[in-house]
Amino acid sequence: MPEPPEYQAAIAEVLLTEDQIRAKVAELAAVLSREYQGRRLVLVGVLNGAAVFVADLLRRLAVPAELDFVAVSSYGRSTVSCGEVQLTKDIGCNLQGKDVVVVEDIVDTGRTLSFLVECLRAKGPTSVRVCALLDKPSRREVDFQPDFVGFEIPDRFVVGYGLDFALEYRGLPYVAVLKPEAYASAGCPSEP
Ligand code: IMP
Ligand code: MG
């Protein structure tokens, strides 16, 4: 698998290998396929981070599913108004009578997903549940528990498999932690 040498040089540690992720995605898809048999499933990917995960997950499902996307903007962790989330792209399909699974890359404070679940519930689907590839439970600031989780990880800032740092590294096929100098080169003193 070709990887940009600039990215490779910035990796400190691979937390989850491509094989581990592939096996977990297949496992999650098998669980969803059982749970949603005979239902009208809609996967709603959260842009941009979940684009890679949702594409792989969808292709592993053994049941029919629609695919849609939302995008949110957060006012960031470093500002005082931290935690405010806004919908910047809404779904295009009608959710009445459908079962929604929101597909997200990672649950951190939990603010993005608790906001999104509320937004989507208001559209009148039969159900809304959440599938996250990664979960950092130690970082939670609101009471939120994803329904399906790939891996619990420690409180470290990770990149790859859709997750970015300063808009880069999303294309790496594994999940990794960067070297301190790679975080610093984008103007951050340490892991953000
Ligand atoms: P939450 O609202 O704090 O749960 O934030 C979730 C969003 O923050 C995720 O969808 C990611 O976009 C971003 N995020 C949280 N932790 C990481 C990380 O370790 N690497 C990259 N993005 C992260
Ligand atoms: Mg995200």
Side-chain angles (χ1 to χ4, degrees):
M1 184 70 78
E3 274 167 46
E6 300 90 327
Y7 286 180
Q8 245 170 348
I11 302 299
E13 188 189 338
V14 173
L15 284 191
L16 300 167
T17 65
E18 195 174 352
D19 283 350
Q20 283 175 296
I21 296 169
R22 190 184 301 111
K24 187 61 79 175
V25 170
E27 207 181 286
L28 287 168
V31 171
L32 293 177
S33 299
R34 275 198 302 276
E35 293 272 328
Y36 291 92
Q37 199 157 29
R39 313 295 293 259
R40 295 176 67 198
L41 176 62
V42 184
L43 296 187
V44 175
V46 185
L47 294 171
N48 296 330
V52 175
F53 177 39
V54 77
D56 283 349
L57 190 64
L58 178 69
R59 287 178 293 175
R60 287 286 190 162
L61 286 179
V63 291
E66 293 179 34
L67 174 64
D68 211 329
F69 290 95
V70 289
V72 292
S73 75
S74 160
Y75 286 114
R77 298 150 226 253
S78 51
T79 65
V80 235
S81 62
C82 147
E84 281 182 45
V85 185
Q86 270 190 340
L87 199 65
T88 55
K89 184 222 169 296
D90 204 346
I91 52 163
C93 66
N94 184 342
L95 296 183
Q96 302 267 342
K98 296 182 186 166
D99 291 283
V100 173
V101 172
V102 183
V103 180
E104 176 61 308
D105 51 2
I106 188 165
V107 191
D108 189 39
T109 65
R111 291 183 188 280
T112 304
L113 281 166
S114 45
F115 166 82
L116 272 176
V117 166
E118 284 312 305
C119 278
L120 293 167
R121 282 217 171 105
K123 296 176 189 290
T126 306
S127 66
V128 180
R129 293 206 276 179
V130 170
C131 176
L133 180 70
L134 307 176
D135 188 10
K136 287 194 223 175
S138 63
R139 291 261 313 161
R140 208 68 95 245
E141 289 173 13
V142 294
D143 183 18
F144 177 82
Q145 183 59 45
D147 303 275
F148 310 97
V149 173
F151 304 93
E152 281 195 5
I153 61 165
D155 180 12
R156 305 190 66 185
F157 194 87
V158 293
V159 299
Y161 200 70
L163 292 122
D164 73 308
F165 170 64
L167 307 179
E168 302 279 354
Y169 304 103
R170 291 194 199 274
L172 288 173
Y174 46 78
V175 169
V177 176
L178 297 179
K179 292 175 182 165
E181 56 268 33
Y183 293 114
S185 70
C188 292
S190 62
E191 287 186 24

